[in-house]
Amino acid sequence: MNFDLTSDQKMLQDQVRKFADTELAPVAPEIDQSAEFPWENIKKMAKLGLLGVVVPEKYGGSEFDFVSLAIAIEEISRVCASTGVIVAVNNSLTTYPILQFGNEDQKNKFLPPLCSGEKIGAFGLTEPNAGSDVVAMEATARPEGDHYVLNGTKRFITNGGEAGIFVVFAYTNKELKHKGISAFVVERDTPGFTLGKHEDLMGIRATANCELIFEDTKIPKENLLGNEGDGFKICMNTLDVSRIDIGAQAVGIAQAALNEAIKYSKERKAFGQPICNFQMIQSMFAEMATEIQAARLLVYYAGYCKDKGMPRFSRESAMCKYYASSIAVDVARKSLQIHGGYGYTKDYTVERLYRDAKILELYEGTSEVQKIVIARDLTK
Ligand code: CAA
C-alpha cells in the first residue's frame, strides 16, 4: 500500500492550489453575491488543462487519472465551491460520458471545445417531478427520419444557463422503464431548446443553475450516446464517477472551514486568552481534522478504484460522497459555531462555506440515495 501522491499528482495539486489562492480567492465572495458565472477564470483553468483532466491529449485533454481530478476539484472547491462544481460537471458529468460511451465522431466533435473552455458542459437528468427517482422522468425522444424529437423539461441543471453542450436523458421507449431511457448530446443552439427559470440558490450561487426546456427539439441521430436504451446505465455509470468529485468538493469545503476556524480561534480572545486554548474548541478541531482526513482517504480510494479499472465501484463512490458530504456540513457548522456571532455575518468566509456545504447532501444523489446504493451492494 502506498499513500504517496505520484509526482504528477503532486505537481497538479501544487499548481491548482496556487491558482486557487491567487486567482479564485479574490473573486469567490463577489460571485457568491452577484451569482455571476466566472467565465474569465474558467478560460484560465482551460489553459491549465483543468476542464478535461482525464480526457486523452488527442481530444484536447490533459490525460491525468481520476485521483488527480479529485485532487484538482478539492483544491478549487477549498477556495470557491461554485467554481469547483462548474469544473466537476464539465469533467465528470459531460466529458466523461462522451469519452466513455461516445463514438469516435462524437469524441472528436464535442471533447475539444469542452476541454478548451470554448464551451462548458451540463448534465440534463433531473426534472421537476423526477429527482432521486430517475425512472420517473417524463422527457421523451421520438425517432423521426434522421433525428429524434425531444420534448421535456429539465430542472436544477448546474451550468445550464451558460453551457454549450449538454448530455440529456429521455425516454425512447417508456414501456421498457429504465431500459427505455436513452442519452443524447444536445447543443445549445438547437432550435426548440430554450432556457427556463434561473434558480436563485442558497449556496454555489455562481453556477448558472437553470431549467432547460425542449419543445419538439430535433436532435440529429448521430448525437445518440451508445445505443437506444443505454441511457440509465450511462447515467448511473457516470454518477459513479462524478460522485467522487462531489466527495472531493466536500473535502475542499470542509478543509476551508477548518482553516478559517483555526485562524479565527488564534485571533479571538475570550476570558483573557485566545479561544484556541480552550478544550471545547480543541475537541472540535480534533474531530474536524480527523473527519476531513477520513473523507479525503475515501475519496482517493474511490478514485483509485476507477483508475485501477474496477468494473463497478458504486459502493466506494457512494461511500465517499455520503461521508464527505455529511462531515462537510458538520465541519462548516462547527466552524461557524467557533466564529460565534461574527460567523453569522457576511464579513466572514464561513458564512459562505456554511451555505455552500448544504448542497453536497442533495445533488448528484441525496445522502439517502447514497445509502441505498451502499446497502444494496452489501445485501446483493
Ligand atoms: N452502474 C451500472 N449499472 C447500474 C448501476 C451502476 N452504477 N446502478 C444501477 N444499475 C443497473 C442495475 O444493475 C439494474 O440493471 P438490470 O435491470 O440489468 O438488473 C438497473 O440499472 C436498474 O437499477 P436499480 O433497480 O438499482 O434502479 P432504481 O430505479 O432503483 O434506481 C437509484 C436506483 C440508486 C435510486 C438511482 O435512481 C439513483 O442514483 N438516483 C439518484 C439520481 C441522481 O443522482 N441524480 C443527480 C442528478 S445530477 C446532478 O445533481 C448534477 C448537478 O447538478 C451537479
Side-chain angles (χ1 to χ4, degrees):
M1 199 179 296
N2 183 357
F3 286 100
D4 292 331
L5 300 184
T6 65
S7 57
D8 278 355
Q9 289 164 348
K10 190 83 195 79
M11 183 197 72
L12 184 75
Q13 186 179 51
D14 290 345
Q15 192 186 30
V16 182
R17 187 170 289 169
K18 198 164 149 225
F19 177 82
D21 288 335
T22 55
E23 304 287 334
L24 301 181
V27 295
E30 263 171 61
I31 63 170
D32 169 58
Q33 287 306 293
S34 66
E36 187 186 333
F37 195 80
W39 267 118
E40 209 179 308
N41 277 329
I42 298 296
K43 301 272 183 199
K44 288 183 193 163
M45 285 189 287
K47 290 211 170 77
L48 293 177
L50 297 176
L51 297 191
V53 176
V54 301
V55 175
E57 285 178 7
K58 66 174 172 169
Y59 304 118
S62 312
E63 213 164 327
F64 279 100
D65 59 14
F66 285 86
V67 171
S68 303
L69 175 56
I71 289 169
I73 299 298
E74 177 190 331
E75 289 304 327
I76 298 167
S77 304
R78 179 179 57 78
V79 171
C80 180
S82 283
T83 310
V85 71
I86 291 167
V87 173
V89 166
N90 196 72
N91 275 281
S92 51
L93 284 180
T94 320
T95 64
Y96 175 74
I98 296 172
L99 183 65
Q100 188 70 17
F101 302 99
N103 58 36
E104 212 43 40
D105 287 347
Q106 292 168 339
K107 291 182 206 178
N108 282 319
K109 180 169 179 193
F110 298 119
L111 292 177
L114 287 168
C115 295
S116 70
E118 183 193 332
K119 291 184 179 163
I120 200 84
F123 190 72
L125 175 67
T126 302
E127 298 188 359
N129 299 314
S132 297
D133 187 4
V134 172
V135 176
M137 76 169 62
E138 291 162 18
T140 57
R142 182 180 80 245
E144 202 178 89
D146 58 359
H147 52 259
Y148 289 89
V149 181
L150 179 60
N151 279 289
T153 300
K154 299 290 174 180
R155 183 121 196 231
F156 302 128
I157 306 305
T158 303
N159 296 353
E162 297 289 336
I165 295 174
F166 300 74
V167 173
V168 176
F169 297 85
Y171 272 108
T172 41
N173 187 339
K174 196 134 198 187
E175 280 164 23
L176 296 177
K177 303 234 165 130
H178 62 267
K179 291 199 165 96
I181 296 173
S182 299
F184 303 89
V185 183
V186 180
E187 294 183 85
R188 175 66 192 90
D189 53 7
T190 314
F193 173 14
T194 51
L195 299 177
K197 182 174 184 249
H198 281 69
E199 303 295 345
D200 188 6
L201 300 178
M202 167 182 164
I204 55 151
R205 289 175 41 77
T207 53
N209 194 296
C210 192
E211 201 173 41
L212 317 179
I213 299 167
F214 301 102
E215 290 165 308
D216 287 336
T217 311
K218 288 183 178 176
I219 313 297
K221 276 208 168 147
E222 63 258 26
N223 285 19
L224 175 71
L225 274 183
N227 296 310
E228 270 191 26
D230 285 351
F232 190 82
K233 285 197 179 170
I234 292 175
C235 173
M236 290 301 131
N237 194 293
T238 300
L239 287 166
D240 284 345
V241 169
S242 69
R243 286 169 183 163
I244 303 173
D245 292 341
I246 300 305
Q249 186 191 29
V251 174
I253 295 173
Q255 186 65 58
L258 174 59
N259 295 348
E260 290 299 319
I262 291 173
K263 190 171 79 184
Y264 182 81
S265 74
K266 288 180 175 172
E267 290 160 5
R268 175 71 178 173
K269 288 199 173 115
F271 307 103
Q273 51 184 313
I275 61 170
C276 64
N277 290 346
F278 296 122
Q279 287 190 344
M280 275 195 239
I281 303 283
Q282 290 177 356
S283 167
M284 283 198 261
F285 285 156
E287 286 165 5
M288 292 153 93
T290 307
E291 287 163 356
I292 293 168
Q293 183 66 350
R296 186 179 286 115
L297 291 174
L298 281 176
V299 169
Y300 285 1
Y301 181 63
Y304 161 84
C305 291
K306 172 63 183 159
D307 285 327
K308 207 170 147 226
M310 271 171 60
R312 214 38 209 270
F313 49 91
S314 310
R315 187 209 307 196
E316 289 76 12
S317 144
M319 279 179 167
C320 88
K321 202 267 182 189
Y322 161 62
Y323 183 73
S325 300
S326 94
I327 68 105
V329 170
D330 197 46
V331 167
R333 181 186 62 76
K334 283 180 180 138
S335 178
L336 200 153
Q337 191 68 19
I338 291 166
H339 281 77
Y342 286 106
Y344 202 62
T345 70
K346 290 201 185 293
D347 294 342
Y348 284 82
T349 304
V350 70
E351 182 270 345
R352 169 164 53 89
L353 298 171
Y354 185 80
R355 285 183 287 105
D356 284 342
K358 182 59 208 173
I359 190 63
L360 299 160
E361 296 184 313
L362 304 172
Y363 64 15
E364 305 214 15
T366 60
S367 292
E368 290 72 21
V369 162
Q370 309 312 319
K371 288 190 204 172
I372 290 172
V373 173
I374 297 164
R376 282 191 185 169
D377 193 63
L378 291 170
T379 55
K380 71 181 178 208

